[in-house]
Amino acid sequence: MSIPDFQTIMRPILESVHDGVAIPLSALREHIADVFQLSEIERKERLPSGRQTVMNNRVGWARTYLNKAGLLTIPSKGMVQITARGREALANGPERLTVTWLKQFPEFADFHTAKPQMVDVLEGLEAEVPEITPDEQLAEAHQALLQSLADEILTQVRAATPVFFEQLVVDLMLAMGYGGSRREAGRATQATNDDGIDGIIKEDKLGLDVIYLQAKRWTHTVHRPEIDKFIGALTRQRARKGVFITTSEFSVGAREAALGLDIKVVLIDGVELARLMVENNLGVSVKQVYEVKQMDSDYFGEE
């Protein structure tokens, strides 16, 4: 069974505490995971931030929404207890509690209502309540922005000159921690391009090993013969590591050619190139920073 969305979790949470006895949030999380028969992999699946499991996040938000609607109370730190309104919801509420249904309670409506500046945007729209938590909505929006940025960067890189692309490759390797100093890294593009090698760059600042580079600012697919030629060049140089970077894509045969070798060959296509540029802040700048905060439980802990 897949991980349920946070609205689907709401009623099972109320059922878990129907007897009125307060239980720890940790026990509630385990119980809900058992109710939905989640596998170990599903129980351990994390949000994109990596800071919390998806299941814990969804149980936490379901508890928050039920608490804001007055169906649950939090009698003490980390505890959960049903209220009289919660029992009424179990007796007469729908089989699946939703955010829309919770809006009948004024306290929840005040908590969940859009701010005044959003009224004009939402007026006349019957907005569908998302099935994911606010944390997941934020993560998805962030990923969408990154993908859009990566697409824009790739378009720009493909339109750049070959000289600019050579410098970009060096800058990317530097940004990822390779190449030693910029002066030394700059020599990477001064290779003669003989024998199928475009450049050489240090793997670390001490120069204990080197990486051979091949960079192709192409729009058409890179096929196996190009990879075989690069591998042959590495073999003749007695090299152990090579990176083939292109602005296009690799065929299945090309990727298969880079596998199962004594030589380590990494293939970076246009999509991966753009992602690495964004990840390593190359060719991008910070537009806006949003801080997502959470309560510091230690501050409120009383001995």
Side-chain angles (χ1 to χ4, degrees):
M1 181 178 291
S2 60
I3 302 174
D5 65 83
F6 80 101
Q7 295 180 105
T8 300
I9 290 171
M10 289 182 185
R11 187 177 182 90
I13 286 179
L14 289 181
E15 292 171 344
S16 300
V17 293
H18 73 279
D19 58 5
V21 177
I23 66 172
L25 178 59
S26 57
L28 177 63
R29 290 167 173 164
E30 286 299 319
H31 177 73
I32 296 300
D34 291 340
V35 167
F36 288 96
Q37 300 178 351
L38 299 186
S39 67
E40 282 303 309
I41 293 177
E42 290 168 334
R43 292 171 192 241
K44 294 178 180 178
E45 183 178 332
R46 291 188 169 270
L47 296 172
S49 65
R51 296 180 179 179
Q52 189 180 30
T53 65
V54 171
M55 192 59 190
N56 284 359
N57 180 261
R58 293 182 181 178
V59 170
W61 276 105
R63 181 190 70 151
T64 295
Y65 278 30
L66 292 171
N67 173 249
K68 293 297 183 181
L71 278 64
L72 284 181
T73 184
I74 302 174
S76 61
K77 179 181 175 181
M79 302 297 288
V80 182
Q81 189 173 28
I82 198 169
T83 64
R85 184 182 287 180
R87 292 194 187 92
E88 176 66 20
L90 283 178
N92 302 308
E95 283 301 309
R96 182 174 185 269
L97 304 183
T98 65
V99 170
T100 300
W101 186 82
L102 292 179
K103 285 185 177 180
Q104 67 181 288
F105 304 112
E107 310 96 304
F108 181 81
D110 289 342
F111 160 75
H112 197 264
T113 299
K115 298 297 182 286
Q117 60 265 33
M118 290 299 294
V119 171
D120 291 339
V121 178
L122 299 176
E123 188 175 3
L125 298 178
E126 189 63 31
E128 182 178 344
V129 177
E131 297 290 325
I132 57 178
T133 69
D135 285 326
E136 292 172 297
Q137 292 176 51
L138 182 60
E140 284 196 358
H142 183 245
Q143 288 301 313
L145 288 171
L146 290 182
Q147 183 60 56
S148 176
L149 175 60
D151 291 344
E152 186 178 355
I153 286 174
L154 182 55
T155 299
Q156 193 71 28
V157 171
R158 285 172 173 168
T161 65
V163 173
F164 181 88
F165 184 58
E166 287 182 350
Q167 186 60 50
L168 184 153
V169 169
V170 173
D171 289 342
L172 178 60
M173 298 300 286
L174 275 172
M176 294 173 64
Y178 300 101
S181 69
R182 174 165 292 279
R183 180 180 178 184
E184 293 168 332
R187 298 172 185 169
T189 58
Q190 295 177 13
T192 62
N193 199 24
D194 290 341
D195 203 23
I197 300 294
D198 284 341
I200 303 171
I201 197 166
K202 290 181 179 180
E203 183 179 19
D204 54 76
K205 293 182 178 180
L206 296 178
L208 297 176
D209 206 347
V210 295
I211 298 174
Y212 288 76
L213 305 174
Q214 180 72 276
K216 298 293 185 184
R217 191 182 59 86
W218 285 0
T219 56
H220 57 276
T221 302
V222 177
H223 291 283
R224 182 165 192 147
E226 290 296 327
I227 306 303
D228 288 339
K229 184 166 63 173
F230 183 50
I231 292 171
L234 293 175
T235 301
R236 287 187 289 276
Q237 294 289 336
R238 296 184 179 179
R240 298 186 301 165
K241 300 171 184 177
V243 177
F244 195 117
I245 302 175
T246 182
T247 52
S248 60
E249 60 185 4
F250 296 100
S251 68
V252 174
R255 293 193 178 278
E256 289 176 346
L259 300 176
L261 303 171
D262 292 333
I263 300 172
K264 178 65 175 179
V265 176
V266 175
L267 305 183
I268 299 177
D269 62 15
V271 173
E272 179 70 3
L273 171 63
R275 186 192 68 80
L276 288 172
M277 288 179 65
V278 173
E279 185 178 297
N280 291 278
N281 297 314
L282 179 62
V284 301
S285 59
V286 176
K287 178 180 179 181
Q288 183 70 51
V289 176
Y290 296 95
E291 289 186 336
V292 179
K293 300 181 180 181
Q294 64 181 11
M295 186 181 71
D296 183 354
S297 299
D298 291 337
Y299 176 81
F300 295 98
E302 297 185 34
E303 297 296 336

